[in-house]
Amino acid sequence: MAPYPHLFKPQKLRHKTLRNRVVFGAHTTNMAQDGLPGAAHAAYYLERALGGAAMIVVEPMPVHAAAVLTRGNFLHSSDAVIPHFRKLVEPCQAAGAVMIQQLYHVGAHGDQDNSWHAAWSPSGGPSYHDSDGSHAMSEAEIEETIEGFVQAAIRCQRAGFDGVEVWAAYHCLLDQFWTPFSNSRDDKWGGSLENRTRFSREILSRIRRACGEDFIIGLAVNDEPGVEVALSRESMAEIVALHDSEELMDYVTIGSGSYFDFARLIPSFQEGQMLGVDLSQSLKQVVRNALVTAESHIRTPENANTLLGAGQADMVSIVRGQIADPHLVAKASEDRAADIRGCLSCNQQCWGRRGRDYWISCLINPSVGREADWGGDRFSRAVQRKSVLVVGGGPAGLEAARVAAERGHRVTLAEASPELGGQFRLAGLQPRRAQITDLIQWYARQLDQLGVEVCFNRYMDAEDVQRHGADEVVLATGSLPQETGFQKALPHLAELPGLPRGRVWSAEDVLSNRARLGDHVVVLDEGGNWRGCGTAWHLTEQGYRVTLVTPDGLVGKELQRSSTDLALRRALASDGVRFITDAAIGSWGPKGAEVLSLLTGATEWLAATDLVMATVNVSDMSLRDELHALGVTSTLIGDANAPRLAAQAIYEGRAWALTL
């Protein structure tokens, strides 16, 4: 029997037949330059088409000046995009993908710092994107916006797209018209269900008239059961059924979350899997014409095949899974699911970079966004085969060894400990983060298949490296805690007063079980990220009483980028963790930790048994210096080069191997 039989059934969609049931759904890559898609965009989408995606929904096109949301948005209301999109669309179609363009307008939630246009909404509601407001649309502005959608669809058709997907999800403009909370109008655009849906029904029907029968029209909606003012599943089913009864769309896609609950919009590892399935199952029971696509945290081919087999959807949209591994579909079709590089649901380089208005990438796949420069997620064979020695089996070393071997080199990886993963493995011991452990196991399988010689418990000094005699040596020896108690907030103190008293630990000590802790632990989190926050969470789940101290104004400051901070604070608060913000540790003594307010200078003593310092590590460059003295050339990558996050480590491992 073929693997995943439900996943690989062809699907008729209006005038097209999809080769399987997997969609690469719409998401903002933020790669546009001057509002136009370029080589980076084209290569990014082509890689997923080559990888087997049946349908690709290209990121949203704003339909009006009021709809602009990001720096990387496409030009609105301009024919200049047409030839550039054609260069993106045609290669993907040649590779077998049906190509759709999403059209959007965020209404009240527009970013007016980017658009320099007042946000428009049905009734002048507030933005949940920032602190701005909007103004209530006039009849003329409503008509102008409908025409904006129609003209955008015409441009898409002229650019060669097979259809468009009209965005009505996440409490965007269409959803704002549907939702009584945001639509208090008393004219023909508000009040009754017919009136509240008039705006969306006009958009869809006019697009059909303008673009004809051989043109796919989709509708994107969302499920938001935890927000009282959002539409209920019953209300959403009624709205979708009305649109379906008039045959206004060919498919409907269901996501999760919204501007009301941003974390569920791109759910992290803190959320459950397959969040869009409950609503997709409800909609399957009410639609008679449109296909139903389930989206949101459908991570694996197994997930997708199961829900399709259960009749909960007709198609599945796997977005971050195909960002992390653009060949996910092809590998699944070849019964190679074990070779799929699984998404971590970390949001650090996809949503995290987009949230900073950069183009997106991926923590575990640095080719993302660099496909045009790096040749996609495929590797060319090296002209000359070399012997390569990788010292260190953390994320940088693992990626360097894998890619070097993929390119045909003879690779030896020497790891000083009995396990692969380095500090990244320790991060996988934090709550809900077992996907990191899965990734390390994936690396182990790949290295074995590629014939990499992996040597455990192999500490290598300079003489060992010299004797090995490799053509190329890369050092991925990581970084170490400072062990001085130095804090960036108190730069005049080179060492924490009271440090010799002992019972001061690093995050690595805690996660590796080297720390022997009492009942009350103070965690100083200097980075505002998972190293400190995740360690505190780990301690609470182990039953310790924890006080979390941070120099920042809120716990998890850096995690705001990935929309994981609020869920983390809720988890910590529910476990009884006390937060002390805008503070540092002034000293450590018999009374415990002296906490210094960075706002007032006041101090308080916390009676604690132990202090955990999650501060910046220092690179271990000793081996490089020793090799240099022997005349042996080597390259530093990852934390050995500078202490950072795993994304930079994996990037440097791949970038180095591509130079060989």
Side-chain angles (χ1 to χ4, degrees):
M1 182 175 174
Y4 314 114
H6 305 293
L7 200 61
F8 291 101
K9 288 180 181 176
Q11 174 64 63
K12 179 76 172 171
L13 179 61
R14 201 161 193 96
H15 64 299
K16 293 290 181 179
T17 299
L18 307 183
R19 55 186 170 181
N20 56 60
R21 303 297 181 94
V22 183
V23 179
F24 188 47
H27 56 285
T28 301
T29 70
N30 228 24
M31 294 177 189
Q33 298 292 325
D34 299 321
L36 301 172
H41 257 125
Y44 174 81
Y45 286 111
L46 178 59
E47 195 69 16
R48 278 77 197 168
L50 293 170
M55 186 166 82
I56 293 174
V57 186
V58 173
E59 65 199 79
M61 164 94 72
V63 301
H64 187 273
V68 173
L69 187 60
T70 73
R71 173 201 53 77
N73 265 164
F74 298 128
L75 288 176
H76 67 87
S77 313
S78 172
D79 288 349
V81 300
I82 294 172
H84 297 272
F85 273 125
R86 190 169 290 280
K87 293 177 183 178
L88 183 156
V89 169
E90 290 177 348
C92 292
Q93 290 170 329
V98 170
M99 297 299 290
I100 306 293
Q101 169 86 69
Q102 189 179 78
L103 307 179
Y104 83 153
H105 195 309
V106 294
H109 310 305
D111 189 334
Q112 297 173 58
D113 287 331
N114 267 315
S115 69
W116 292 101
H117 189 292
W120 291 358
S121 66
S123 302
S127 170
Y128 278 72
H129 178 276
D130 51 33
S131 58
D132 297 328
S134 63
H135 87 233
M137 299 169 74
S138 66
E139 287 263 2
E141 288 165 345
I142 290 174
E143 288 293 335
E144 181 181 333
T145 303
I146 293 172
E147 185 62 18
F149 274 97
V150 174
Q151 292 303 316
I154 292 171
R155 290 187 192 93
C156 291
Q157 188 174 46
R158 290 174 59 194
F161 281 103
D162 298 303
V164 294
E165 179 178 286
V166 175
W167 196 52
Y170 310 137
H171 200 241
C172 73
L173 182 60
L174 275 68
D175 195 1
Q176 287 162 39
F177 270 95
W178 292 349
T179 305
F181 163 77
S182 48
N183 185 350
S184 57
R185 301 177 72 100
D186 57 6
D187 58 8
K188 68 178 183 179
W189 306 100
S192 67
L193 177 66
E194 180 181 2
N195 284 354
R196 286 184 285 116
T197 58
R198 189 183 307 277
F199 182 68
S200 55
R201 290 185 291 118
E202 281 293 314
I203 289 169
L204 297 176
S205 62
R206 293 188 198 182
I207 289 174
R208 174 63 66 211
R209 289 199 297 270
C211 296
E213 292 301 311
D214 287 343
F215 194 69
I216 297 166
I217 299 176
L219 184 69
V221 302
N222 70 288
D223 188 21
E224 187 65 302
V227 176
E228 186 174 348
V229 299
L231 292 169
S232 66
R233 286 176 184 154
E234 293 75 17
S235 296
M236 185 64 76
E238 186 179 20
I239 288 169
V240 170
L242 175 59
H243 288 73
D244 183 68
S245 69
E246 298 178 7
E247 300 185 28
L248 296 175
M249 70 280 189
D250 300 301
Y251 73 87
V252 57
T253 293
I254 299 99
S256 65
S258 73
Y259 278 97
F260 295 127
D261 184 5
F262 215 71
R264 288 171 61 87
L265 210 160
I266 308 172
S268 76
F269 60 86
Q270 299 154 299
E271 300 284 349
Q273 296 190 47
M274 300 195 291
L275 295 182
V277 173
D278 289 334
L279 181 57
S280 74
Q281 186 170 357
S282 297
L283 297 189
K284 277 282 291 177
Q285 297 172 8
V286 299
V287 297
R288 298 293 177 266
N289 302 294
L291 299 177
V292 175
T293 302
E295 189 175 74
S296 188
H297 227 192
I298 300 169
R299 300 181 54 253
T300 66
E302 290 85 357
N303 289 159
N305 191 67
T306 297
L307 73 90
L308 290 170
Q312 295 170 303
D314 301 296
M315 300 183 291
V316 293
S317 175
I318 302 177
V319 179
R320 284 173 298 171
Q322 292 185 88
I323 294 176
D325 193 332
H327 299 276
L328 177 151
V329 179
K331 290 176 181 178
S333 71
E334 297 164 2
D335 203 12
R336 295 171 49 219
D339 289 336
I340 294 171
R341 183 197 300 109
C343 170
L344 301 184
S345 305
C346 68
N347 288 350
Q348 291 182 27
Q349 291 286 295
C350 51
W351 179 242
R353 282 180 60 86
R354 155 66 185 87
R356 300 171 73 187
D357 219 6
Y358 301 157
W359 47 269
I360 69 167
S361 190
C362 178
L363 186 151
I364 63 174
N365 183 4
S367 286
V368 174
R370 300 180 177 91
E371 288 87 354
D373 299 324
W374 284 6
D377 197 32
R378 292 155 286 129
F379 303 108
S380 60
R381 302 289 285 186
V383 175
Q384 178 185 356
R385 192 181 191 208
K386 297 180 178 181
S387 61
V388 175
L389 174 62
V390 180
V391 183
L398 290 170
E399 184 68 1
R402 183 184 76 89
V403 176
E406 288 269 15
R407 300 194 62 222
H409 298 296
R410 297 186 303 275
V411 181
T412 299
L413 187 151
E415 167 56 42
S417 79
E419 297 181 87
L420 295 174
Q423 292 183 37
F424 201 39
R425 180 183 63 83
L426 298 181
L429 301 177
Q430 295 177 351
R432 320 291 189 271
R433 305 199 75 189
Q435 290 163 348
I436 293 175
T437 303
D438 294 341
L439 177 66
I440 294 169
Q441 293 171 349
W442 175 84
Y443 269 114
R445 292 194 299 272
Q446 297 300 302
L447 297 185
D448 181 62
Q449 291 175 20
L450 292 165
V452 173
E453 181 185 7
V454 179
C455 304
F456 293 106
N457 301 306
R458 181 72 63 86
Y459 175 83
M460 300 197 78
D461 60 21
E463 287 77 14
D464 294 329
V465 173
Q466 187 180 46
R467 280 194 298 271
H468 188 86
D471 298 321
E472 300 284 348
V473 177
V474 66
L475 306 180
T477 47
S479 63
L480 299 169
Q482 295 184 62
E483 298 185 343
T484 62
F486 173 79
Q487 300 163 74
K488 291 190 294 184
L490 303 175
H492 58 288
L493 296 177
E495 181 177 291
L496 175 69
L499 182 69
R501 177 191 171 222
R503 304 196 69 82
V504 178
W505 314 95
S506 66
E508 290 84 349
D509 289 331
V510 172
L511 295 170
S512 63
N513 289 324
R514 289 193 298 267
R516 294 295 178 261
L517 302 172
D519 64 329
H520 182 196
V521 182
V522 174
V523 176
L524 173 77
D525 174 34
E526 185 174 79
N529 53 37
W530 286 111
R531 186 158 173 266
C533 294
T535 300
W537 194 9
H538 171 81
L539 287 169
T540 66
E541 295 215 338
Q542 297 295 312
Y544 294 98
R545 184 159 60 98
V546 176
T547 299
L548 185 57
V549 179
T550 175
D552 298 320
L554 78 164
V555 168
K557 181 193 73 172
E558 292 298 307
L559 300 179
Q560 293 179 94
R561 300 173 181 176
S562 54
S563 295
T564 53
D565 60 306
L566 180 58
L568 168 78
R569 288 194 296 272
R570 283 174 172 163
L572 293 175
S574 68
D575 286 340
V577 175
R578 178 188 175 190
F579 302 156
I580 303 178
T581 60
D582 297 296
I585 304 298
S587 64
W588 175 246
K591 295 181 181 179
E594 181 190 31
V595 179
L596 170 67
S597 170
L598 299 175
L599 302 179
T600 67
T603 62
E604 69 167 300
W605 283 94
L606 286 177
T609 57
D610 298 271
L611 174 63
V612 175
M613 303 286 285
T615 56
V616 178
N617 277 12
V618 292
S619 296
D620 182 2
M621 297 185 175
S622 57
L623 182 55
R624 180 204 61 176
D625 296 339
E626 293 167 6
L627 289 171
H628 181 73
L630 293 175
V632 178
T633 300
S634 61
T635 302
L636 292 168
I637 60 173
D639 270 16
N641 197 17
R644 290 156 295 169
L645 300 177
Q648 284 80 12
I650 295 174
Y651 165 83
E652 288 186 354
R654 185 174 299 191
W656 175 80
L658 290 175
T659 67
L660 298 178

